[in-house]
Amino acid sequence: MTGVEEHGTPEPGTAGPGALDRAPKKRRGANREGLWGVFAFPGIAWTVVFFAVPFYAIACVAFGSTDPLFGEPVPSWSPLHWQFATFHEVLVRSTGGDLTAVFIRTLVYVGAALALCTLVGYPVAYYVARLAGRHRGLLLGLILAPWWINYLTRMMAWLALLQDEGYINRALQATGLIGTPVQWLSGNPYTVIVALAYGYLPFYIVPLFATLDQIDPRLLEASRDLGMGTASTFWRVTLPLSRTGLLSASVITALPMLGDYYTNTLVSGSPETTMIGNQIDLYLLGGPQKHLGAALVLVLSLLLMILMAYYLRTSRRDTQETS
């Protein structure tokens, strides 16, 4: 007998019955990988040119030297000649110097804005995902409508609302709640927090809506059949199942908030509400200490990478638990 023995076992050196079928599949798989590699090349090239190269340039400035005559930074393009004195100075000032208050203020503002986004965004996302019915498309369009308008334009609209003779103060004075106009735009931290929450609220609602929309309605029905009321079903079923969406929404919203500087500049512009993004903008564009600004960029990027690593680890663990 050649090729296959009596018990169906291929003889040494001969191909089995499925070998001819497996070979074309492998070739097709290799062709697909090559095709998708071609499609991915423009995105990879875009990332390298517009992210990796500028980030490397920032690192070269941070670890470079300073011209003694003009005070301008001298980038060190070779990692072998990098100097870490400036970066160490920023780390020392960030952990026990004058930048500590700025970092703490930034974290407090971002945390308060995230809490406000949760209070406003979770009910909206829940209603649109579970209760909106045939009006879901319209409500989603209204939620995404702010993205059709430039962010700076939307923030500048707040100036007309919050200035001393603006509509907010007029309404509060008309109702007798205040006697004199509130200076919302003169270093008021509450204005910065509300403006941050307003600007990034759509980023919070959309991923949370996607998670809530994927919850199997049969789980909620089973909870009610077991005698749990609406509130108990929400706390014990809906909220735990939406934890991944809450984490995704928080990360997607917090990352740009931590580096935001134009919101604070527009609605406050006071040193008392300075965030870390304002310090980076000041050092890089408004002063001679550009190497300090570049080092701050690296410190902030390190913080953001830690948050992203925590998000990816938690998301992977939740996915493994649910699968």
Side-chain angles (χ1 to χ4, degrees):
M1 221 177 260
T2 60
V4 180
E5 296 180 349
E6 293 181 350
H7 298 288
T9 303
E11 292 182 357
T14 62
L20 296 178
D21 295 334
R22 289 194 296 267
K25 291 181 180 179
K26 291 181 180 180
R27 287 195 295 269
R28 287 196 296 267
N31 292 335
R32 291 196 196 99
E33 292 178 0
L35 181 62
W36 284 111
V38 173
F39 288 152
F41 178 77
I44 296 174
W46 179 280
T47 302
V48 171
V49 172
F50 294 103
F51 175 75
V53 173
F55 191 83
Y56 180 76
I58 287 289
C60 293
V61 172
F63 297 133
S65 58
T66 304
D67 186 271
L69 182 60
F70 300 101
E72 291 295 324
V74 179
S76 180
W77 300 109
S78 174
L80 299 176
H81 300 93
W82 281 0
Q83 303 176 14
F84 297 92
T86 301
F87 189 72
H88 181 265
E89 177 187 353
V90 171
L91 288 178
V92 171
R93 293 173 61 180
S94 302
T95 55
D98 52 354
L99 289 175
T100 304
V102 179
F103 271 103
I104 294 176
R105 186 184 302 121
T106 301
L107 294 177
V108 170
Y109 286 0
V110 171
L114 276 179
L116 188 56
C117 285
T118 303
L119 291 176
V120 177
Y122 197 101
V124 173
Y126 182 87
Y127 179 82
V128 176
R130 315 301 308 178
L131 305 172
R134 60 190 180 90
H135 301 294
R136 173 188 292 193
L138 175 61
L139 294 176
L140 278 176
L142 293 176
I143 292 171
L144 299 176
W147 287 348
W148 303 344
I149 305 173
N150 183 269
Y151 185 88
L152 294 179
T153 303
R154 289 191 286 123
M155 285 294 109
M156 291 181 67
W158 278 74
L159 302 182
L161 294 173
L162 298 175
Q163 58 185 321
D164 293 346
E165 299 298 329
Y167 298 106
I168 300 280
N169 280 326
R170 289 182 184 177
L172 293 176
Q173 287 178 313
T175 56
L177 295 177
I178 59 174
T180 58
V182 179
Q183 296 182 341
W184 299 106
L185 303 175
S186 300
N188 193 321
Y190 298 104
T191 304
V192 178
I193 293 171
V194 172
L196 285 173
Y198 162 77
Y200 293 98
L201 185 59
F203 291 95
Y204 192 92
I205 293 177
V206 171
L208 186 56
F209 161 79
T211 300
L212 290 171
D213 188 50
Q214 293 175 359
I215 296 178
D216 193 342
R218 293 175 296 181
L219 297 176
L220 307 181
E221 295 175 0
S223 174
R224 298 189 187 97
D225 293 340
L226 292 174
M228 298 178 65
T230 303
S232 298
T233 299
F234 174 79
W235 287 107
R236 297 188 179 186
V237 180
T238 305
L239 189 60
L241 290 177
S242 63
R243 184 179 64 174
T244 303
L246 281 169
L247 181 60
S248 301
S250 299
V251 171
I252 292 173
T253 307
L255 291 181
M257 277 187 185
L258 287 170
D260 188 296
Y261 67 93
Y262 36 81
T263 301
N264 196 340
T265 301
L266 284 175
V267 302
S268 175
S270 171
E272 298 178 358
T273 60
T274 297
M275 298 172 63
I276 189 63
N278 300 107
Q279 290 293 107
I280 293 174
D281 178 63
L282 174 65
Y283 285 132
L284 287 178
L285 301 179
Q289 297 178 310
K290 293 181 174 57
H291 56 291
L292 290 179
L296 275 178
V297 171
L298 299 183
V299 173
L300 181 60
S301 300
L302 178 62
L303 176 61
L304 298 181
M305 283 190 290
I306 293 174
L307 292 177
M308 182 58 67
Y310 172 76
Y311 162 69
L312 294 176
R313 179 176 178 274
T314 305
S315 299
R316 181 179 301 176
R317 183 181 59 191
D318 292 342
T319 302
Q320 292 175 350
E321 291 178 355
T322 55
S323 61

